[in-house]
Amino acid sequence: MNTKQILQLTGFTLAGLGIVFGNPTAGLSDAHISKIAPSNTNFIKDVQSLKKIGQVTALIPEASTADQASEYSVDGQSGDTAFPHARFKALATVGEYDPNTGLPLTGYPDGQAAWLADEDTVRVAYQSESYAKNSNETYPWVMSSGATFTGSHIHAIDYNRAKFAGFLDNGTAASEMFEASKHLFDKVYNVFGDEVTSKASGGVWGNQALPNGTLVNFASSKVLSQADFFFHSFCGSHHEKANKYGTGKGFADDVWLMAEEWNLGNSFYAETNSVDTMGLASMVVDTATGVAYTVPALGQSGYEKLLPVNPGTTDHVVIICAGYNYDLPNDTAPMRIYVGKKGLDAQGNPVNQNDPNASVRDKFLARNGLLYGKVYGMALANANYATLNLSAPNLTALNAGQTNQQLLDNYVSDPTAPNTFSVRYYPTTYKWNGWGTANAVSVANTEATKWFNADQQPSGYTFFPADDKVEHPAVDPDITKFRFVQNLTNNGALLGIEFTNLIAELTASSNLPDYVSADVRRIIGAEDGSLTLETGGKGIAPTGPNNLDGTKTAAGHVGAGNKRKMVAPDGLQWIKTADADVLIVDEDSGNSYGERKYALVLNPQSLELAQPGKGW
């Protein structure tokens, strides 16, 4: 239900900026009571305080903990905004509404992007992740078919381009340049290749479906109350422009990539094991048409982020598949990429873009290399485990669910190990076989559970086990390069990965490559002392058990015992300017002393930090 509908149901109307009040129903009033402050029962007062998109100017980030009355005495205002290395203004705030539609913006904001919708309009899009009954449901997102989804929303907000250009240099609120907002898509296809219709008309969504198409119910404690289906957290969504790496190289269309993240464990289901479902959706949105497609060739195991990298050829796409594997007992998987071949269907047959009988779905996915491809996992030569001070993986222990075999995490925590090594990415025997229930398999029968089977190990290599909690990667903005950096979130580290022979390996045969070679550099290790932040006289942390005298700063992670290292790095963006390559990092550690956002300057030749052990 959107804001306008709520107002209408309760006797309110929005007429320009005027509001006419009636009496809210008892049920709505009860539902309004805040879970944060149960005493907050004044619904009418809250309606009076509704803000349009961009109207709130107060900031969540602060340069230091509030230490002056002006910074903490007024609720809802900014704290210390004397940031030493940056400037910030609010573009939009969760809870603000579109005055044209009444639809509010939902949280928690995560993967986001901005691009020109036209010559006069900047479009800013973000996903608001939701875990349904594990956190809170969101209002129904209504598709053109009548199907409704709670959970993650993808909001797109349009701003006037000319005003946007001067936004950081003027004192106006973002509402002065706001034009419109919408959802990024209004039609969605499921893992079987079908448009999702309402639950009442027989529609199904993959995280609630078996391979035969049967809808399985959520457990009573997880039953949705707001919509037919549930988009699990879309986390690090990403916008990619067509032909990004040169004419014909990369995607053929402008797309928005996203994947349902994390996992839906057995507690979600009343009738089946979670691994017997179709798992979590990997998805792509055709931003020109507003249609979202599930892409099972990318995998059904769920990811933190799907991020394209330069393939070097016009016939392929290469996508980093970072993060979580679906509900596996050992929380372990190798780092992964997807390699797809453009123009082909799932069986490797050409898809004629001029054939009127070919579906719009398959034409779009084929020309973007998303029907014919495989997921590849990082593997280390067996002889090279010892050079990294590691014993080769114990496959029996991994398959028994033991988590002490996360060897990549052990490596980044060992400062005596070498900082560089070489790997290959290999596929398993699994490959998606096409649409429909006849071809469908549960997530348990995809590559997600095959990485550490003895019969799946490449000759002379073993897949390199890592904790599955790797958050965002970031690709080099230099489109002549074939490389990216990757957060290792569990232990807190940063790797650089460069594909060393990509074009030759992709074009060695008419089929998919046997493997993809890469060099790896440990940019920042996970040991204490590997990273200290320059706080510019700010970053003062609040007084607490780890900061008794109130003198510690964000130079170290106060909540983690003041360790000088990366702690739970999550958001990651690579910015290239005229004189520097800069990584922007956001930690997501649960730090009660304030999460840290910092910049790391890279040496673009070596992918080492320009100043060893230092960030800002």
Side-chain angles (χ1 to χ4, degrees), residues 30 52 66 94 155 316 383-384 411-412 517 565 585 609:
D30 290 343
K52 296 182 293 182
V94 172
H155 297 284
H316 300 84
N384 288 346
Y411 158 74
V412 297
S517 303
K565 67 185 297 291
V585 183
L609 291 186

Side-chain angles (χ1 to χ4, degrees), residues 19-106:
I19 298 177
V20 179
F21 294 97
N23 293 318
T25 65
L28 185 58
S29 181
D30 290 343
H32 163 72
I33 295 174
S34 171
K35 292 185 177 180
I36 298 172
S39 60
N40 180 18
T41 60
N42 193 333
F43 179 75
I44 293 176
K45 181 179 179 181
D46 277 5
V47 170
Q48 289 174 310
S49 68
L50 288 174
K51 296 291 193 297
K52 296 182 293 182
I53 292 174
Q55 196 170 353
V56 174
T57 58
L59 297 177
I60 291 174
E62 55 185 3
S64 286
T65 189
D67 56 6
Q68 300 179 33
S70 62
E71 297 170 351
Y72 59 74
S73 60
V74 181
D75 188 30
Q77 298 303 308
S78 298
D80 185 344
T81 58
F83 300 102
H85 305 302
R87 287 184 294 160
F88 298 101
K89 287 182 72 176
L91 283 173
T93 300
V94 172
E96 291 178 330
Y97 72 97
D98 184 331
N100 305 309
T101 67
L103 290 171
L105 300 177
T106 56

Side-chain angles (χ1 to χ4, degrees), residues 178-375:
F178 168 81
E179 294 183 343
S181 75
K182 64 176 183 177
H183 284 100
L184 197 61
F185 59 90
D186 63 2
K187 180 183 288 190
V188 60
Y189 285 75
N190 63 23
V191 69
F192 304 109
D194 302 321
E195 182 181 358
V196 181
T197 59
S198 69
K199 195 172 181 179
S201 65
V204 295
W205 182 242
N207 64 30
Q208 217 174 331
L210 298 177
N212 64 8
T214 301
L215 185 72
V216 293
N217 292 320
F218 283 146
S220 57
S221 63
K222 307 294 184 182
V223 171
L224 305 174
S225 61
Q226 298 296 312
D228 293 328
F229 306 113
F230 163 46
F231 286 138
H232 199 353
S233 165
F234 283 137
C235 213
S237 302
H238 174 77
H239 180 256
E240 183 86 349
K241 295 291 289 182
N243 302 302
K244 181 177 178 179
Y245 308 102
T247 303
K249 293 181 181 179
F251 285 109
D253 298 88
D254 292 354
V255 303
W256 179 275
L257 283 166
M258 59 194 184
E260 291 185 308
E261 176 223 5
W262 209 37
N263 67 66
L264 296 180
N266 286 334
S267 65
F268 263 87
Y269 298 97
E271 305 164 348
T272 188
N273 291 322
S274 61
V275 294
D276 293 330
T277 71
M278 294 303 293
L280 298 170
S282 300
M283 300 178 68
V284 63
V285 180
D286 181 350
T287 58
T289 63
V291 180
Y293 300 96
T294 299
V295 188
L298 284 172
Q300 298 164 211
S301 63
Y303 300 114
E304 168 79 12
K305 192 174 185 77
L306 295 166
L307 185 63
V309 66
N310 183 5
T313 84
T314 59
D315 293 329
H316 300 84
V317 295
V318 178
I319 302 172
I320 305 153
C321 303
Y324 311 95
N325 247 25
Y326 191 84
D327 199 31
L328 296 181
N330 55 26
D331 296 323
T332 305
M335 292 177 62
R336 285 149 291 155
I337 62 172
Y338 167 84
V339 178
K341 194 161 184 184
K342 295 158 72 172
L344 304 179
D345 66 14
Q347 283 72 44
N349 302 310
V351 175
N352 186 346
Q353 294 289 324
N354 298 314
D355 183 357
N357 296 316
S359 67
V360 172
R361 175 201 67 196
D362 284 3
K363 288 179 181 179
F364 172 80
L365 293 175
R367 66 177 176 262
N368 289 292
L370 296 172
L371 289 179
Y372 187 77
K374 276 191 170 187
V375 178

